[in-house]
Every structure is written in structure tokens, then in C-alpha cells.
């Protein structure tokens, strides 16, 4: 990643700076979205921008000062060309912008927009067939900033969870994801993913009241399942519910739907889910999801 865009200006990453008076730096007042491209085009961009816009209104950031979807598409295309990328992992950050030292009472009228892009990570050859483990962490999901969690710049809780997961050499070797429960002991979400499971033909995922970030991919998967006539439920579940599931999968904007084929307890006990490979509902929903992308994907050997 050699070139980035700040407020629409493309520059070398080494020359890009944000003021120490930016309230994103001082108080974590800012939001970001991560998405990927298919065929060089950003996928579900309007949905990402809708979530970001709603979050900006909550934080008091003037959205009229931000690029619209058309402008952002042009910025993404420009940045990808500048970095020689055919496909990209894209991060769009909106920080509150410069203001006086101290907590503000009014709106932020001069937000800072930062656009970054890098190559898509190369998935393991068996990721979409034999999946990955999910390890239960001791780190609890903190309560959200307001009624619904924002994809905000204060990411400490996720980083602490990542450090806990990284302290387990076996979890690292297996490329496991970490699972956080909320303060009440209910399943919330992964470090960088939402969690789904299926039991007796019904798709289940934690309710937003469990403190999770309502992911863009999560939302689309719920829509696709409903359209396909698959029963869906958002509720309050435990680790034991996951251990008794027929199949489990994770959703992210970068990796789509990833099967979970084993669970790792804090003491290291491993439970195999299903037959240790992608389950039938996960398979169906992954294929339906990929149809939405316009057919641009490389991992269709399920």
C-alpha cells in the first residue's frame, strides 16, 4: 500500500498525515468501513455508506461534507489504479476532524476522509470446504457506544481479544477465529466476524442486543436465507448452543461465509462440528451470496 487518499487527494502513504488535534485521534470520534471489490468494483458500497452515515449522525459528524457513493467509487478506482490493484481490500475511514482540545457540544463540520486499499488476502485452499476453528475467549465483548454498536475507531476491545487469541500457539497454527461472549454470557461475535449457526434446518444468529456490530454481510445473508425459504432467528445463545449446532459459519465482508468446523474451549478441548467440513446450509448460502457478487470470485470449488 504505497498510495492513499486523504480528502480526495492521492499521495504517498509516507507523506500522509492527520492532525494531532483531530478528534478521531484525541477521542476516538470516527468510523470506518471495510469492503472488497469484485471485478474491480466495490461490493455493497451503498449499504456500507448507509451504515457509516447513520453512525456519523450519532457522533455528530456532518455527512454533507463527505463524498457520496458516486464520488467514493471514483476515489476507489483512482486509488486502485495508483496502487496497481485489480482487486482490493478497501478501508474507508471518516474521522471527526480538527477541533479544540476538550469535549465538544456541537457538530463536527470538517471531517477527515481517508481511503486505503491493499491486495485481497489469499485464502487457504481448504478455507471454504474444511473451514477453520472458533475459539472461546475470556475477553468479553464490551457494551456498545449507544443502542447499536458502531464500527468506530476505538477498537481496543477487539485488539485485546486478538492478543488473547494470538497467545495460543495452536489457535494461531490453525488460523482460528476468536469468539467473544457479552457480559451476560451470550454469544456476541468474533473478533472480526459475525457468527451464524444452524440447528434442525433453522438459521440462528445473535441479536444485535448482544452487543455485536450488525455486519453488512450478516444482513445480506439473513435476507438471502429468508428469500430461499430458510427459517431464520435472531436471539440469545450460549457457547453450549454452538456446541450442539449442526453447522456454524462466520460472515465478513472480505471472506464472505467461512465454515466453522471445530470449536475450541478455553481449556483446549476441541469439538468437531458436523462432519468437519462445510455444511449444507452454509454451502447453499455461500453460493447464493456469490451470485450477488456478479460471479467474480475464485473460490467456487466447494
Amino acid at each position: 500500500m504505497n498510495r492513499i487518499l486523504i480528502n480526495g487527494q492521492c499521495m504517498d502513504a509516507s507523506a500522509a498525515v492527520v492532525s494531532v488535534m483531530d478528534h478521531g485521534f484525541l477521542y476516538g470520534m470516527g468510523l470506518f468501513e471495510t469492503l472488497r471489490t469484485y471485478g474491480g468494483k466495490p461490493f455493497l458500497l451503498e449499504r456500507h455508506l448507509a451504515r457509516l452515515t447513520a453512525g456519523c449522525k450519532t457522533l455528530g459528524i456532518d455527512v454533507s461534507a463527505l463524498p457520496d457513493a458516486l464520488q467514493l467509487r471514483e476515489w476507489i478506482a483512482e486509488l486502485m489504479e495508483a496502487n496497481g490493484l485489480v482487486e482490493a481490500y478497501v478501508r474507508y475511514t471518516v474521522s471527526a476532524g480538527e477541533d479544540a482540545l476538550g469535549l465538544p457540544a456541537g457538530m463536527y463540520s470538517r471531517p477527515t476522509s481517508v481511503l486505503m486499499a491493499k491486495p485481497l488476502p489469499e485464502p487457504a485452499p481448504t478455507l471454504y470446504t474444511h473451514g477453520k476453528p472458533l475459539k472461546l475467549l475470556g475477553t468479553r465483548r464490551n457494551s456498545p457506544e449507544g443502542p447499536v454498536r458502531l464500527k468506530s475507531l476505538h477498537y481496543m476491545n477487539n485488539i485485546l481479544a486478538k492478543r488473547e487469541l494470538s497467545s495460543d500457539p495452536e489457535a494461531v497454527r490453525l488460523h482460528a477465529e476468536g469468539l467473544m461472549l457479552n457480559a451476560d454470557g451470550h454469544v456476541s461475535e468474533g473478533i472480526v466476524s459475525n457468527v451464524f449457526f444452524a440447528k434442525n434446518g433453522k438459521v440462528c444468529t445473535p441479536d444485535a442486543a448482544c452487543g455485536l456490530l450488525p455486519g453488512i454481510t450478516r444482513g445480506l445473508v439473513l435476507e438471502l436465507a429468508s428469500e430461499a425459504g430458510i427459517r431464520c432467528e435472531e436471539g440469545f445463545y450460549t457457547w453450549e448452543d454452538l456446541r450442539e449446532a449442526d453447522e456454524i459459519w462466520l460472515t465478513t465482508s472480505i471472506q464472505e461465509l467461512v465454515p466453522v468446523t471445530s470449536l475450541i474451549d478455553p481449556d483446549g478441548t476441541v469439538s468437531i462440528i458436523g462432519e468437519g467440513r462445510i455444511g449444507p446450509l452454509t454451502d447453499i448460502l455461500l453460493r447464493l451470496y456469490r451470485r450477488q457478487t456478479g460471479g467474480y470470485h475464485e473460490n467456487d470449488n466447494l
Side-chain angles (χ1 to χ4, degrees):
M1 183 175 65
N2 299 316
R3 307 284 288 177
I4 70 171
L5 270 77
I6 295 186
N7 295 327
Q9 299 299 309
C10 190
M11 64 187 71
D12 192 86
S14 63
V17 296
V18 175
S19 170
V20 296
M21 299 304 292
D22 192 301
H23 276 210
F25 169 73
L26 289 176
Y27 302 113
M29 294 295 283
L31 304 162
F32 71 100
E33 294 288 333
T34 54
L35 57 140
R36 61 168 290 176
T37 64
Y38 292 90
K41 307 297 182 183
F43 185 54
L44 301 179
L45 179 62
E46 285 75 11
R47 295 193 187 208
H48 283 280
L49 285 183
R51 181 173 66 178
L52 185 136
T53 297
C56 283
K57 291 178 180 178
T58 298
L59 297 184
I61 296 174
D62 184 3
V63 296
S64 69
L66 300 176
D68 59 17
L70 178 61
Q71 181 67 72
L72 193 56
R73 286 182 185 278
E74 293 175 355
W75 284 8
I76 291 171
E78 177 185 354
L79 186 60
M80 289 176 64
E81 182 178 1
N83 285 301
L85 298 172
V86 176
E87 301 289 7
Y89 172 119
V90 178
R91 171 169 165 149
Y92 176 47
T93 304
V94 172
S95 183
E98 293 183 53
D99 210 323
L101 183 63
L103 303 183
M107 293 282 292
Y108 291 109
S109 60
R110 296 175 298 161
T112 302
S113 294
V114 180
L115 189 65
M116 302 177 176
K118 66 178 183 179
L120 284 168
E122 187 68 28
T126 60
L127 181 64
Y128 296 101
T129 54
H130 291 78
K132 65 166 56 182
L134 182 64
K135 178 174 181 179
L136 178 59
L137 301 178
T139 303
R140 292 297 176 107
R141 194 63 172 118
N142 61 353
S143 58
E145 302 85 349
V148 178
R149 182 173 300 280
L150 306 178
K151 198 170 179 71
S152 69
L153 299 186
H154 38 98
Y155 226 54
M156 184 191 302
N157 190 219
N158 301 67
I159 292 173
L160 293 176
K162 179 67 173 180
R163 287 178 176 167
E164 179 187 346
L165 182 67
S166 299
S167 69
D168 181 345
E170 185 65 7
V172 172
R173 184 184 71 82
L174 296 172
H175 303 287
E177 167 67 312
L179 178 78
M180 289 182 282
L181 306 178
N182 66 10
D184 296 322
H186 295 125
V187 173
S188 181
E189 61 184 345
I191 299 172
V192 292
S193 63
N194 287 129
V195 180
F196 284 79
F197 69 94
K199 182 70 175 178
N200 297 327
K202 181 172 68 175
V203 167
C204 303
T205 194
D207 191 279
C210 295
L212 56 89
L213 175 73
I216 300 300
T217 303
R218 172 185 180 273
L220 179 55
V221 167
L222 284 171
E223 291 176 19
L224 294 172
S226 180
E227 290 169 3
I230 300 170
R231 290 181 298 146
C232 299
E233 175 186 274
E234 297 176 69
F236 299 84
Y237 310 109
T238 65
W239 179 249
E240 189 61 30
D241 289 323
L242 292 183
R243 293 180 65 176
E244 295 176 355
D246 298 325
E247 49 188 300
I248 304 172
W249 65 93
L250 309 173
T251 59
T252 77
S253 291
I254 305 302
Q255 292 191 320
E256 308 169 331
L257 286 73
V258 176
V260 170
T261 48
S262 63
L263 298 176
I264 306 175
D265 286 316
D267 64 3
T269 302
V270 176
S271 303
I272 302 300
I273 300 300
E275 298 180 357
R277 57 171 291 118
I278 188 170
L281 281 177
T282 314
D283 190 352
I284 290 170
L285 290 169
L286 178 55
R287 293 181 188 277
L288 290 173
Y289 183 88
R290 287 179 170 174
R291 288 181 188 174
Q292 301 294 310
T293 70
Y296 291 101
H297 49 75
E298 300 175 354
N299 305 291
D300 205 22
N301 297 316
L302 302 181

